[in-house]
Structures are given as C-alpha cells and as structure tokens.
Amino acid sequence: MRESIFTGKIPISCPSEDIPWQMKCDIVRSDDKIEIRLIDTRDIFTFYFSTMSPSDFYVMKREQDIIVDYERFISVLVKMFHSLQGGKLRGLFSKETNKFLFVEKDEFRNIVRLELKFSKPDETHYKMYLGDMISRMESENVKLIKENGMLRDKCRSGEKELRDRIRYLEEETMVAQKKIDKLYKENEVLNEKGDTWRAEVDKLSSKAYDLEKENGRLQYELDKLRLQDVKNSGLIERAQKIEDESKTLREEVNTANEIIRKYSEEIAQMKSAMDGNEEASKDLRVSNKKYKSEIEDLKKKVKGMEEKTKRMKEDLRAKEARIKELEAENIGLVKKLENAQNVYSHFYSKNIENATSMNYSDNESIFSIAPESSPH
C-alpha cells in the first residue's frame, strides 16, 4: 500500500539555472520503503527521486553518523522538510552530484544536518510516477465527486431553505408594511397634536418671559427697599453710638476739669514754696563758688604732685640702672679678688717650702718678705 506522508513546495538553492528556486516535494511510503521526489514546478515531468529501504538507511546511518532508527528517521525527515518550508533550514541541491543537503545556518559555520542522494528517473520510475499521479488524481476525483454530490445536495437543501426564508420574509415584510402604514397614520395624528402643543408652549413661553421680566422688576424694587432699611438701621445705630460717645466725652471733660483744678492748687502751693527757697538757693550758689575755687586749687596741687611723681619715677629708673651697673662691677671685682687670692696662696705655699729645705750662709739674709700666715 502506497501512502503519501509529505507533499509541499520547498525552497532550494542551486548554482545551476536549470534547477528552479522552488520545487515540489512528494514523500511516498510503500511497505518498508520510502520514495522522495523533487518535481520541477515549471515541468511536472522533470523530477529527481531518492528511494530508501531499511538496508539503505543503515548504510547511510554508518556513513553520516545517524543515531536514530529507521522509523524515527522517517518522522525526523518529514520534520526537516517542514523546517525547509519554515526557513529554519536551507536546502542545497547539486545538479552535478545529484545530492541534496539539509544545511543549518550558524554564526561560525554552516552545519550539514543530512545528505540525501537523488537519481534521475528511468522509464520504470516514470511509469510509477505517472501511476501515482493517476491514482492520486482518481482518488482526488472520487473525493471531488463525493464533495460535489454533497455540495449539490447542500445546494438543493439551501435553495429550499432560501425559498422558504424568502416566503417567510415576504410575509414578514407585508406585516411590517401594514404596521408602518398604521404607524404613519398615528404619526400624522401625533404631529398635529404636537403642532397644537408647540403653539401652546410658545404662548406659555412668552407669558413666562413676561412674568420673568415682572419678577426681575419686583426683585429690583425689593432690593432697593432692603437697602433703604439697612441704611435706616445703620443711621439709628450711628446716632445711638454718637450719643453714647458724647456722654462719655462729657464725663471725661468733667474729670479733666477736676484734675486741672487739683493741679492749679498744687502749682499755687509750689509757687509759695519756691519763694521761700530762693534765699536758700542764693546761699547754695555762694557755697558752690567757694567749693569750685577750692576744687581748682586741689586740681593744681594734684597736677604738681603728678609731675613730681613722674620725676621721681624717672630718677628711680636711673638709680635702678646705676644699681645694675654697680652690681656688674661688684661681680667683676669679686672675680678679680678671687684670682688674686689664688695667686697669693700659691706663692705663699711655695716660699714656705723653700725656707725649710735651703741652707743659708752667714752673709745671706734669713728674712723673707712673705707674710707670717696666710690670710684668711
């Protein structure tokens, strides 16, 4: 039994212009064998075929390091042809070697996934190819005849349904037309009523406009009256306030008059007291003049004492400088005295030693100019 497991157009790359860029691929399985045909889309009688049996597969498996079995290989092969249609793989065909390569694109290099060997057909293959085409056409013809019969039956039933539907729609249209006529008459009656109502509405609108104008005028008058009432109430409150302020001012004036009277009495008392104090102030002025003269004398004395103190300070600084000079001279004299005493002590001790060790002659003097004892 022959079974078609793949049929479709696949893109092909080939250096030769005799091979089109797109070919039809048919994969037919009969018993254990599969036959692959690449058919020229421009000429259906130009094709290449590849037949593969389990024994051929095992030879190819050993040559190309295939790791699946025969059944799995057939399903993978069909998927690879689908990948050619989807653009995931590229199909390369060489007319010189009749080899078809499944190539996978990669960033580094192209990878050959599978290599199939094709051959040119002979008379037997043409007969098989034509037989397959005829049987396929017959099966498709039978299928088309069945589909045509089904479509004809469906068309007949559709025509009947369509006629019934048209009849039903015509009846519905007549009923709808009657309803439309009735509604049209009712619409005319309603239009007449609407015209009457519109006239009444216009009349009421004009009346409402007049009432609104009258209402606006009355509202204006009411606002004027309210404003007048507000002004009157404000004047009354202002008059009451002024009266209260006047009363308060009168009380304050009376209080001020009383205070002025008291101040006048106090001023009179102060004037009488000032008359008695004028003589005392004269004595105080005389005393002040006397004190001022004494203060001037004291200031002069203080100034003289300050000058004297200043001179004494200058003398004191000069004496301190002289004392420092004398102290320096004293230190120098002390050092000189110490040096002279050291020299004297040295010579004194040396003369004593010479007097005890030497024998003097009668003519020589035994007196020495050395002192009897060393100074203390």
Side-chain angles (χ1 to χ4, degrees), residues 146-156:
K146 290 181 180 179
E147 290 178 356
N148 190 17
M150 292 173 63
L151 290 172
R152 190 179 291 111
D153 295 337
K154 190 180 289 185
C155 184
R156 289 196 189 100

Side-chain angles (χ1 to χ4, degrees), residues 24 85 93 126 130 135 147 209 273 276 285 336 352 356:
K24 183 181 179 183
Q85 290 179 330
F93 186 77
Y126 272 114
L130 291 174
S135 61
E147 290 178 356
Y209 178 72
R285 282 195 290 273
K336 289 179 180 180
I352 293 297
T356 56

Side-chain angles (χ1 to χ4, degrees), residues 109-124:
R109 62 186 295 270
N110 293 331
I111 301 171
V112 178
R113 299 288 300 277
L114 183 65
E115 179 181 329
L116 296 178
K117 294 180 181 180
F118 282 82
S119 303
K120 291 183 179 180
D122 54 10
E123 186 178 355
T124 305

Side-chain angles (χ1 to χ4, degrees), residues 264-356:
S264 298
E265 292 176 356
E266 290 179 359
I267 289 168
Q269 292 176 2
M270 289 175 67
K271 283 182 178 180
S272 61
M274 286 174 66
D275 292 336
N277 291 330
E278 283 182 358
E279 294 179 359
S281 62
K282 288 179 181 180
D283 296 335
L284 288 172
R285 282 195 290 273
V286 173
S287 299
N288 287 334
K289 288 180 181 179
K290 184 178 179 181
Y291 290 148
K292 284 181 180 180
S293 61
E294 291 178 356
I295 288 168
E296 291 293 332
D297 295 336
L298 289 172
K299 284 182 178 180
K300 290 178 181 179
K301 290 180 181 180
V302 168
K303 188 175 182 181
M305 291 178 71
E306 287 178 353
E307 292 177 355
K308 188 176 180 180
T309 304
K310 187 176 181 181
R311 287 194 299 271
M312 289 175 70
K313 286 181 179 179
E314 291 176 355
D315 294 339
L316 181 61
R317 283 196 292 270
K319 288 179 179 180
E320 287 177 353
R322 180 61 181 166
I323 289 168
K324 289 180 179 179
E325 291 176 359
L326 292 174
E327 287 178 352
E329 290 178 0
N330 188 18
I331 291 169
L333 292 172
V334 169
K335 289 181 178 180
K336 289 179 180 180
L337 183 60
E338 289 177 353
N339 292 330
Q341 188 176 0
N342 291 330
V343 172
Y344 179 76
S345 298
H346 175 71
F347 283 108
Y348 178 76
S349 60
K350 190 174 182 181
N351 288 330
I352 293 297
E353 290 175 358
N354 291 330
T356 56

Side-chain angles (χ1 to χ4, degrees), residues 96-97 130 177 188 301 340:
E96 289 77 10
T97 59
L130 291 174
Q177 187 64 38
E188 288 180 351
K301 290 180 181 180

Side-chain angles (χ1 to χ4, degrees), residues 29-46:
R29 183 172 184 177
S30 60
D31 298 331
D32 290 338
K33 292 183 179 181
I34 60 171
E35 184 176 348
I36 306 169
R37 297 193 190 100
L38 295 177
I39 305 167
D40 192 343
T41 54
R42 299 172 299 183
D43 183 6
I44 61 173
F45 293 103
T46 301

Side-chain angles (χ1 to χ4, degrees), residues 132-318:
D132 289 339
M133 287 182 63
I134 291 169
S135 61
R136 188 180 300 171
M137 290 174 66
E138 287 177 352
S139 61
E140 289 178 356
N141 190 23
V142 171
K143 190 185 295 184
L144 289 173
I145 290 170
K146 290 181 180 179
E147 290 178 356
N148 190 17
M150 292 173 63
L151 290 172
R152 190 179 291 111
D153 295 337
K154 190 180 289 185
C155 184
R156 289 196 189 100
S157 61
E159 288 178 355
K160 184 179 179 182
E161 290 178 0
L162 183 61
R163 284 194 296 271
D164 295 338
R165 183 66 177 169
I166 290 170
R167 191 181 303 110
Y168 173 75
L169 291 174
E170 287 176 351
E171 293 176 356
E172 291 290 329
T173 303
M174 291 175 66
V175 174
Q177 187 64 38
K178 290 179 181 179
K179 288 182 179 180
I180 289 170
D181 294 338
K182 185 179 179 181
L183 291 172
Y184 182 73
K185 291 178 181 179
E186 291 177 355
N187 189 26
E188 288 180 351
V189 174
L190 291 174
N191 285 331
E192 292 176 357
K193 289 182 179 180
D195 293 336
T196 305
W197 289 347
R198 277 193 292 274
E200 292 179 358
V201 168
D202 293 337
K203 190 184 294 183
L204 292 173
S205 297
S206 61
K207 190 174 182 180
Y209 178 72
D210 296 336
L211 290 173
E212 285 179 357
K213 287 176 67 177
E214 184 67 20
N215 187 23
R217 187 181 64 78
L218 293 174
Q219 187 67 34
Y220 176 71
E221 294 292 335
L222 181 61
D223 292 338
K224 285 177 67 176
L225 292 173
R226 286 177 179 173
L227 183 61
Q228 189 65 33
D229 290 339
V230 170
K231 287 182 178 179
N232 292 334
S233 61
L235 290 173
I236 293 169
E237 291 177 357
R238 182 64 178 166
Q240 184 66 33
K241 188 175 181 181
I242 290 170
E243 186 177 353
D244 294 339
E245 290 178 355
S246 177
K247 185 177 180 180
T248 304
L249 289 172
R250 282 196 295 272
E251 292 176 355
E252 290 178 355
V253 168
N254 293 330
T255 304
N257 290 329
E258 185 67 24
I259 292 169
I260 290 168
R261 186 179 61 78
K262 289 181 180 180
Y263 283 163
S264 298
E265 292 176 356
E266 290 179 359
I267 289 168
Q269 292 176 2
M270 289 175 67
K271 283 182 178 180
S272 61
M274 286 174 66
D275 292 336
N277 291 330
E278 283 182 358
E279 294 179 359
S281 62
K282 288 179 181 180
D283 296 335
L284 288 172
R285 282 195 290 273
V286 173
S287 299
N288 287 334
K289 288 180 181 179
K290 184 178 179 181
Y291 290 148
K292 284 181 180 180
S293 61
E294 291 178 356
I295 288 168
E296 291 293 332
D297 295 336
L298 289 172
K299 284 182 178 180
K300 290 178 181 179
K301 290 180 181 180
V302 168
K303 188 175 182 181
M305 291 178 71
E306 287 178 353
E307 292 177 355
K308 188 176 180 180
T309 304
K310 187 176 181 181
R311 287 194 299 271
M312 289 175 70
K313 286 181 179 179
E314 291 176 355
D315 294 339
L316 181 61
R317 283 196 292 270

